[in-house]
Amino acid sequence: MSTTVQPHAAAALKQKIADKTALVGIVGLGYVGLPLVRAFEAAGFRTIGYDVDPSKVASLAMGRSFIKHIPSDWIARCVEQGTFEPTADMNRLDEADAVLICVPTPLSDSRDPDLTYVEKTTAAVAESLRPGQLVVLESTTYPGTTRDVMLPILARTGLKPGEDFFLAYSPEREDPGNPDFSADRIPKVVGGLEPNSLELAVDLYRHAVVEVIPVTSCEVAEACKIIENTYRSVNIAMVNELKMLFDRIGIDVWEVINAAKTKPFGYQAFYPGPGLGGHCIPIDPFYLSWVARKHGMPTRFIELAGEINTGMPRYVIARLMEALNEHGKPLRGSEICVLGLAYKRDVDDTRESPSFELMEQLLAAGAAVTYSDPHVPKLPKKRDYDFSGMESQELTPEFLGSLDAVLIATDHEAFDYETIVRHAPLVLDPRNATRDVTEGREKIYKA
Ligand SMILES: NC(=O)c1ccc[n+]([C@@H]2O[C@H](COP(=O)([O-])OP(=O)(O)OC[C@H]3O[C@@H](n4cnc5c(N)ncnc54)[C@H](O)[C@@H]3O)[C@@H](O)[C@H]2O)c1
């Protein structure tokens, strides 16, 4: 990118970024924020991490990670060397030359965007905004948030965007637990409020990630993230619907997908499951449908995909009832162990996990429910469900033999599927996790 920045504040920040003396502040030290700290620290920047949760800050300050794929010894080393300083003191936001915001963007109870975290953080940044600061929103949101929600809050300071301070949007594409793509290896899309903001944000990220893709506006960058997640949601819904059809006509959907994905172009494999989970796919498309409603446009794909995906737990429970029925048992009174509480394989994140919905429906039907998840030893209290206090069961032959069925909600690698099938009387497998099991296949029911 050419050197076009004009005002003094921009030129000074550009220089600090170029010689890596810029202090990079990351707000929100969660699944997205911490990997980002890591990427900038590894690139040679000093970083400061802000979080409103004092227990997280205290844990980091003691060199302890609370995210499985971010090692504690790395945090301890950075804290000791002073390349990463965690703090809960938002009055120190003016110390950072770049403020990268990674706070939650959930849905409200009425499934509308809840931007309270973004608004509060922006207000905290505005409190001490000074000339020469670059503010970048990384949280997933609908197109227009940076300009329509953040800019007015920052502009109330009297400082001028593009001259005194700089504002950009760059969506986080973190894939927790994916060993092939850590934050620094994922190309980053960046949109700026105006040319100076874009140039400074691109300069900064170029140091830390493998590739930066500048786009012409914050809105394009915001829409880019939403299109990626909507694409996943719609394709997963399609394959979930086809799974139900194929089940009915006796075709194994997994075999079909494995065959289809041999096509070297024009097809990308998506896999069915017991429902959608995680912080992104079940939530983000609804940010877009909310904007669409404001513009009087229906988003039928999004709504339909949401409907199909949220209906999957009910389908899985119906399949479990059929399977138990074949064994002469009702669901009421049966002992069912749900395997995997995290929303996807080999992670410890239970946000929006369909396992909770499955457990809820099992309990409502009168089943006795336990769970096993090596990554989630004890259940946290959730906003929608309260299973707090439940503990993960060890899958011993005796325990498995005492059950009426196991339900594989999440296909963690740590599970020993041969042992599970050998000792459990019935295995419901909506993930095709037992595909390589050789003995006792008559006990496996796909769903
Ligand atoms: N987790 C993912 O895989 C993923 C992937 C891509 C994008 N995203 C998006 O990134 C954003 C953050 O997600 P996450 O998974 O890291 O969430 P998280 O809950 O793991 O982390 C968010 C952190 O922000 C802190 N926080 C909340 N309000 C704050 C405030 N006002 N000031 C400072 N800190 C505050 C919380 O205490 C928490 O530690 C969301 O918009 C999400 O949609 C997440």
Side-chain angles (χ1 to χ4, degrees):
M1 183 158 287
S2 61
T3 311
T4 53
V5 292
Q6 294 300 333
H8 172 71
L13 179 55
K14 191 171 174 72
Q15 188 55 48
K16 280 183 170 182
I17 291 171
D19 58 28
K20 298 190 185 177
T21 54
L23 177 62
V24 179
I26 284 120
V27 188
L29 301 173
Y31 283 90
V32 164
L34 270 186
L36 202 60
V37 169
R38 197 172 190 193
F40 277 100
E41 198 273 344
F45 284 86
R46 211 158 56 76
T47 60
I48 177 165
Y50 304 88
D51 203 293
V52 285
D53 182 343
S55 66
K56 281 190 176 170
V57 171
S59 161
L60 293 167
M62 284 187 290
R64 281 209 298 264
S65 174
F66 39 80
I67 291 181
K68 209 176 111 243
H69 55 281
I70 300 288
S72 289
D73 54 1
W74 170 78
I75 291 177
R77 178 185 60 75
C78 297
V79 170
E80 195 186 316
Q81 291 177 351
T83 52
F84 170 47
E85 185 187 356
T87 178
D89 185 356
M90 299 299 148
N91 294 320
R92 294 183 59 192
L93 277 163
D94 61 336
E95 290 178 29
D97 296 296
V99 179
L100 315 181
I101 301 174
C102 316
V103 294
T105 43
L107 293 174
S108 67
D109 289 341
S110 53
R111 300 197 79 69
D112 288 338
D114 174 3
L115 287 181
T116 1
Y117 299 93
V118 172
E119 287 164 351
K120 278 191 182 149
T121 306
T122 312
V125 173
E127 284 276 303
S128 56
L129 191 68
R130 61 165 170 82
Q133 275 188 306
L134 166 68
V135 181
V136 185
L137 179 64
E138 294 232 357
S139 304
T140 306
T141 186
Y142 60 80
T145 306
T146 312
R147 193 180 305 272
D148 301 340
V149 178
M150 294 180 71
L151 178 59
I153 300 173
L154 296 171
R156 278 204 287 272
T157 58
L159 294 176
K160 290 214 164 17
E163 283 182 33
D164 300 323
F165 74 93
F166 311 94
L167 182 59
Y169 180 83
S170 178
E172 186 48 61
R173 292 163 148 177
E174 177 72 6
D175 186 14
N178 185 336
D180 299 328
F181 289 101
S182 48
D184 57 314
R185 302 198 50 205
I186 304 171
K188 216 148 180 6
V189 171
V190 179
L193 192 71
E194 43 65 56
N196 286 340
S197 298
L198 176 65
E199 183 168 337
L200 290 165
V202 168
D203 278 6
L204 179 72
Y205 284 111
R206 274 209 177 127
H207 284 290
V209 300
V210 60
E211 189 186 354
V212 177
I213 296 107
V215 294
T216 53
S217 66
C218 295
E219 288 75 7
V220 171
E222 289 161 335
C224 169
K225 173 70 186 180
I226 296 274
I227 209 176
E228 290 166 15
N229 284 352
T230 303
Y231 168 80
R232 286 185 61 74
S233 170
V234 167
N235 279 284
I236 293 168
M238 183 192 74
V239 85
N240 274 333
E241 185 172 68
L242 291 182
K243 171 181 79 165
M244 294 187 278
L245 170 67
F246 291 167
D247 273 353
R248 189 164 298 180
I249 52 184
I251 298 170
D252 183 341
V253 68
W254 300 92
E255 194 180 348
V256 175
I257 295 168
N258 285 338
K261 76 180 187 193
T262 59
K263 186 178 179 185
F265 47 85
Y267 180 82
Q268 188 188 350
F270 286 87
Y271 297 95
L276 282 186
H279 192 294
C280 297
I281 317 288
I283 292 176
D284 303 347
F286 292 97
Y287 269 67
L288 195 55
S289 52
W290 178 82
V291 171
R293 279 202 304 280
K294 277 187 34 173
H295 287 81
M297 281 265 315
T299 44
R300 285 170 294 170
F301 271 106
I302 295 178
E303 303 296 338
L304 181 59
E307 201 179 297
I308 293 173
N309 289 330
T310 51
M312 291 317 290
R314 189 154 295 284
Y315 175 75
V316 167
I317 300 297
R319 291 283 292 161
L320 177 63
M321 282 180 181
E322 285 169 17
L324 283 167
N325 193 40
E326 281 185 28
H327 286 231
K329 291 177 183 174
L331 181 52
R332 177 171 296 280
S334 284
E335 307 250 350
I336 315 291
C337 183
V338 174
L339 303 198
L341 261 286
Y343 78 91
K344 73 169 183 179
R345 184 191 306 158
D346 301 341
V347 302
D348 57 359
D349 187 352
T350 59
R351 285 178 295 177
E352 308 291 323
S353 172
S355 303
F356 293 105
E357 181 61 27
L358 291 168
M359 286 166 65
E360 185 99 317
Q361 290 191 22
L362 288 170
L363 285 173
V369 183
T370 49
Y371 86 94
S372 179
D373 190 323
H375 305 290
V376 187
K378 203 168 172 180
L379 280 192
K381 186 164 170 21
K382 308 292 280 185
R383 196 164 54 144
D384 301 329
Y385 312 105
D386 186 9
F387 298 109
S388 47
M390 272 180 89
E391 287 184 16
S392 174
Q393 302 292 318
E394 203 186 324
L395 297 181
T396 61
E398 297 71 38
F399 175 69
L400 289 163
S402 73
L403 298 166
D404 294 295
V406 300
L407 193 176
I408 302 173
T410 310
D411 50 344
H412 290 313
E413 272 189 32
F415 290 132
D416 176 350
Y417 295 106
E418 288 283 354
T419 302
I420 290 165
V421 175
R422 186 171 314 126
H423 296 285
L426 188 163
V427 178
L428 194 83
D429 183 7
R431 295 281 192 187
N432 202 26
T434 54
R435 59 192 168 276
D436 297 327
V437 170
T438 47
E439 262 179 57
R441 292 206 63 84
E442 69 287 353
K443 293 193 262 177
I444 302 171
Y445 292 77
K446 292 188 178 170

